[in-house]
């Protein structure tokens, strides 16, 4: 243990503790910009500088270990002036037209600039003449980048993709796509984790709000919107509403207020996905020698891109079932259009997703099965829909609750947990058990696949089918480890759920940004709580899904469902595929 003094207060901490961490134990706040605990502790921004008695120079608190008897000053005149100088240097290469930035006040640099009273013009602008590439779901804006390297570290250490890298030297140093490619030419999965860990607006999703406003204003269009499970656990964070108050039904009211004709629930399509994917798994499992193992879930487009780009020989192991988003779009422009008696080309389908990779998924050439148009026209992230609410002066705190429209607005507890890691597996096993035995299991019988561990595995016995060996992973770093273990023959599974983002969709790249905080576990707990308190907790008991099969699809894995609800993952290519 080491004893030191910080701002006149004595503290004793373990040897090896940084000055920043020691100060935090005293609830003394030292400002940071580039720091991310365990991910980015490289003292790049020099904002966390502190003064130590006996040291000739200031030291970065995030990267300097404590020493016995050390005396530290975190806000001396020398420290304050150094921070102001370092902030001025950052601002000299930063586009300060903050009115154009999607972060809209949720920006660490803007906060520091205000805190240190740098409200005038400081130094000559040294902006780069590099055009912004808007052709991908993830957009990088050069002159907003502060070279903190968080995006590089999160992509390398957590997601193991290595998409971003440092380019140039000295004042010409910047961040770019590794191996001098464009983002579209890289193997990027568009998971968006770089966006949610950027402290400023240097990275953002492709903004599609304008397309939606145009559709809402078009009287010839029938606007249909679906809400993903994980969105309901995060959409009202900007408004600081209690999760018990920030219900999906209040969001329905907000969407109706904006002018959407029909507001449906992706939970409906999640239940439909379970019927198709669960039936597919049982079919494969009972004809083992005809298939490669394990079978992988296919709900997460970031994961599908990862597999096709990094482990392409396993592409056929993916379930052929489309994601809930795409199943919904196909059903909306076929079954629902038929029920309305309208031309499906007039239906404009919008998805509200916690995910940036969904923007790439809806644009795939294989996702046009209902009428030739894209089954889903536009994907909005949770952040984008909140911006639209704000632009329309919609305050959820004063809204009443409105139920989802029918018949695509009914979901079960099993569907809600699609947004949490382990939820797809849990829901699939509940219905797979029923499809084999004709009886429901305990809805909580498969709880071993829940929780925030990055790689979970379990074995469950389904009478009449045998032991099912399953695994659940979230985060692409954990996924890579699992794939190597499968490749090397170290592990063997029957069914594997993969989510590209740590913690699943709850921690998706399109969710609200809270700098330095990881909220996937908190949001996931909300979803598991909703499931626990839902009357119907099995996908196969969704009455509207049952009606859909009676009236339209006839049965899971049938000819019509195969055409509309399944896809060929080999029919499109990643940039590295020949």
């Amino acid at each position: 243990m080491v004893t030191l003094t910080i701002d006149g207060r004595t503290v004793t901490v373990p040897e090896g503790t940084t000055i920043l961490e020691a100060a935090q134990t005293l609830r003394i706040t030292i400002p940071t910009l580039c720091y991310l605990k365990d991910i980015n502790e490289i003292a790049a921004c020099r904002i966390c500088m502190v003064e130590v008695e006996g040291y000739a120079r200031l030291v970065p608190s995030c990267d300097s270990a404590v020493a016995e008897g050390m005396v530290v000053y975190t806000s001396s005149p020398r420290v304050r002036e150094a921070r102001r100088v370092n902030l001025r240097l950052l601002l000299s290469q930063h586009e300060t037209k903050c009115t154009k930035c999607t972060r809209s006040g949720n920006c660490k640099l803007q906060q520091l600039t205000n805190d240190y009273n740098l409200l005038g013009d400081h130094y000559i602008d040294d902006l780069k003449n590099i055009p912004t590439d808007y052709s991908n779901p993830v957009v990088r804006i050069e002159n907003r980048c502060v070279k903190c390297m968080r995006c590089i570290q999160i992509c390398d250490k957590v997601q193991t993709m290595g998409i971003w890298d440092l380019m140039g030297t000295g004042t010409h140093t910047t961040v770019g796509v590794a191996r001098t490619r464009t983002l579209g030419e890289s193997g990027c999965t568009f998971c968006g984790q770089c966006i949610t860990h950027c402290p400023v607006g240097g990275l953002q999703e492709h903004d599609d709000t304008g397309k939606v406003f145009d559709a809402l204003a078009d009287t010839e269009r029938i606007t249909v919107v679906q809400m993903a499970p994980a969105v309901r656990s995060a959409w009202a964070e900007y408004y600081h509403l209690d999760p018990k108050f920030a219900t999906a039904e209040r969001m329905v009211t907000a969407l109706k207020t904006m002018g959407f004709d029909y507001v449906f629930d992706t939970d409906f399509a999640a239940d439909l996905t379970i019927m198709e994917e669960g039936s597919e798994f049982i079919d494969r499992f009972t004809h083992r020698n005809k298939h490669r193992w394990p079978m992988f879930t296919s709900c997460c487009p970031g994961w599908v891109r990862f597999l096709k780009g990094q482990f392409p020989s396993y592409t056929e192991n993916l379930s052929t079932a489309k994601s809930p988003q795409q199943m919904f779009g196909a059903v909306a422009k076929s079954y629902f259009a038929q029920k309305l008696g309208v031309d499906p080309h007039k239906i404009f389908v919008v998805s509200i997703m916690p995910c940036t990779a969904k923007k790439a998924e809806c644009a795939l050439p294989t996702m046009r099965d209902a009428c030739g148009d894209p089954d889903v026209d536009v994907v909005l992230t949770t952040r984008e829909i909140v911006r639209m609410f704000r632009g329309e002066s919609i305050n959820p705190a004063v809204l009443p609750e409105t139920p989802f429209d029918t018949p695509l607005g009914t979901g079960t507890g099993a569907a809600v947990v699609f947004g949490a890691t382990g939820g797809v597996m849990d829901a699939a096993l509940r219905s797979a058990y029923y499809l084999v035995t004709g009886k429901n299991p305990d809805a909580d019988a498969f709880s071993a696949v829940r929780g925030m561990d990055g790689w979970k595995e379990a074995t469950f016995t389904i009478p009449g089918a045998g032991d099912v060996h399953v695994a659940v992973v979230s985060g692409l770093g954990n996924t890579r480890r699992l794939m190597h273990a499968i490749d090397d023959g170290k592990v063997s599974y029957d069914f594997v759920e993969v989510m590209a983002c740590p913690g699943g969709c709850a921690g998706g790249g399109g969710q609200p940004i809270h700098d330095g905080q990881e909220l996937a576990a908190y949001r996931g707990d909300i979803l598991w709580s909703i499931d626990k308190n839902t009357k119907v907790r099995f996908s196969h008991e969704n009455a509207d899904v049952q009606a859909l099969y009676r009236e339209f699809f006839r049965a899971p894995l049938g000819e019509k469902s195969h055409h509309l609800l399944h896809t060929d993952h080999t029919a499109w290519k990643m940039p590295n595929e020949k």
Side-chain angles (χ1 to χ4, degrees), residues 309-390:
Q310 305 290 312
F311 298 89
S313 64
Y314 285 90
T315 301
E316 292 185 5
N317 291 54
L318 286 165
S319 165
T320 62
K322 291 180 180 177
S323 70
Q325 165 180 277
Q326 295 304 139
M327 284 196 184
F328 177 92
V331 171
K333 293 190 177 183
S334 58
Y335 171 72
F336 184 61
Q338 183 177 300
K339 286 186 79 70
L340 288 182
V342 301
D343 182 352
H345 298 288
K346 290 187 175 182
I347 294 180
F348 189 86
V349 176
V350 177
S351 298
I352 304 172
M353 295 285 143
C355 175
T356 46
K358 290 288 182 185
K359 290 177 178 282
E361 182 187 42
C362 77
L364 290 174
T366 52
M367 298 298 175
R368 296 169 170 259
D369 293 323
C371 66
D373 293 344
D375 294 330
V376 173
D377 295 283
V378 170
V379 172
L380 299 176
T381 63
T382 311
R383 292 189 295 271
E384 285 176 285
I385 197 63
V386 169
R387 285 205 300 276
M388 293 181 76
F389 287 162
R390 290 161 58 191

Side-chain angles (χ1 to χ4, degrees), residues 186 188-190 301-310 360 572 574-575:
S186 74
C188 183
T189 64
F190 303 128
W303 146 242
V304 172
R305 290 183 64 85
F306 174 86
L307 187 72
K308 283 176 62 68
Q310 305 290 312
W572 59 275
M574 287 289 289

Side-chain angles (χ1 to χ4, degrees), residues 154-163 179 181 187-189 296 302-303 305-312 314 454-455 472-488 490-491 493 496-500 574 576:
I154 206 77
C155 192
D156 186 33
K157 291 182 179 178
V158 176
Q159 299 297 71
T160 67
M161 289 301 296
I163 299 299
R179 293 177 284 283
R181 300 168 296 181
C188 183
T189 64
F296 294 116
W303 146 242
R305 290 183 64 85
F306 174 86
L307 187 72
K308 283 176 62 68
Q310 305 290 312
F311 298 89
Y314 285 90
W455 178 353
V472 171
V473 289
S474 70
L476 292 178
N478 294 320
T479 303
R480 190 181 298 277
R481 290 194 299 116
L482 175 133
M483 292 304 300
H484 282 309
I486 292 174
D487 231 3
D488 296 339
K490 295 179 180 178
V491 294
Y493 303 114
V496 178
E497 177 206 301
V498 184
M499 295 290 180
M574 287 289 289
N576 66 333

Side-chain angles (χ1 to χ4, degrees), residues 411-452:
T412 68
V416 170
V417 295
F418 260 60
T421 177
V424 176
M425 180 63 70
D426 196 312
L429 290 171
R430 294 182 203 181
S431 288
Y433 189 101
Y434 172 82
L435 292 172
V436 172
T437 66
K439 299 178 181 179
N440 284 341
D442 181 334
D444 296 308
F446 308 107
S447 59
V449 300
R450 304 175 187 176
M452 286 297 293

Side-chain angles (χ1 to χ4, degrees), residues 17-258:
T17 302
T18 65
I19 296 173
L20 178 65
E21 292 169 329
Q24 288 171 344
T25 65
L26 292 171
R27 298 188 178 181
I28 293 173
T29 299
I30 298 175
T32 63
L33 183 62
C34 69
Y35 176 79
L36 273 181
K37 183 171 174 56
D38 299 327
I39 303 296
N40 201 43
E41 301 177 349
I42 57 174
C45 67
R46 320 304 279 183
I47 299 301
C48 70
M49 306 298 279
V50 295
E51 186 174 0
V52 180
E53 278 190 6
Y55 286 48
R57 297 174 179 170
L58 302 181
V59 300
S61 61
C62 75
D63 195 35
S64 300
V66 297
E68 184 65 35
M70 181 180 274
V71 178
V72 179
Y73 303 98
T74 70
S75 58
S76 66
R78 185 182 174 195
V79 166
R80 181 175 178 80
E81 187 53 35
R83 289 178 186 156
R84 285 169 57 85
V85 169
N86 290 336
L87 282 167
R88 286 193 188 103
L89 290 169
L90 288 172
L91 291 169
S92 71
Q93 293 189 332
H94 189 80
E95 183 183 60
T96 54
K97 298 176 181 177
C98 296
T99 54
K100 292 167 45 178
C101 184
T102 57
R103 294 298 285 264
S104 186
N106 182 17
C107 171
K108 200 70 177 289
L109 181 61
Q110 189 182 51
Q111 175 197 326
L112 289 166
T113 301
N114 276 272
D115 291 349
Y116 283 86
N117 198 31
L118 296 175
L119 304 181
D121 293 325
H122 299 274
Y123 292 132
I124 298 170
D125 283 346
D126 186 21
L127 303 181
K128 295 180 174 63
N129 186 24
I130 298 177
T132 301
D133 179 4
Y134 290 101
S135 63
N136 301 293
V138 174
V139 177
R140 181 177 179 275
I141 302 175
E142 170 67 34
N143 288 318
R144 293 182 191 167
C145 178
V146 292
K147 290 83 175 175
C148 69
M149 298 195 285
R150 282 190 185 186
C151 58
I152 296 174
Q153 301 276 36
I154 206 77
C155 192
D156 186 33
K157 291 182 179 178
V158 176
Q159 299 297 71
T160 67
M161 289 301 296
I163 299 299
W164 302 109
D165 202 357
L166 278 179
M167 308 287 180
T169 58
T171 58
H172 299 289
T173 301
T174 188
V175 174
V177 181
R179 293 177 284 283
T180 64
R181 300 168 296 181
T182 66
L183 192 60
E185 295 168 338
S186 74
C188 183
T189 64
F190 303 128
C191 70
Q193 289 300 304
C194 55
I195 298 176
T196 58
H197 290 83
C198 177
V200 293
L203 288 158
Q204 67 176 56
E205 68 271 48
H206 186 282
D207 192 310
D208 292 303
T209 57
K211 296 178 185 177
V212 178
F213 278 124
D214 288 344
L216 290 170
D218 187 345
T219 57
E220 295 298 312
R221 293 278 199 175
I222 300 170
T223 51
V224 172
V225 62
Q226 59 169 317
M227 182 199 310
V231 172
R232 71 202 63 209
S233 68
W235 72 277
E237 288 172 2
Y238 171 81
Y239 301 98
H240 307 290
L241 296 182
D242 186 281
K244 293 179 181 178
F245 183 84
T247 60
E249 289 74 18
R250 280 197 170 81
M251 189 170 182
V252 172
T253 308
L255 293 167
K256 289 279 189 179
T257 302
M258 283 184 61

Side-chain angles (χ1 to χ4, degrees), residues 283-293 493-494:
D283 182 64
R284 291 194 192 194
F285 193 70
T286 53
H287 300 85
R288 291 191 63 88
N289 56 353
K290 294 183 179 180
H291 302 280
R292 290 189 59 188
W293 295 93
Y493 303 114
D494 300 310

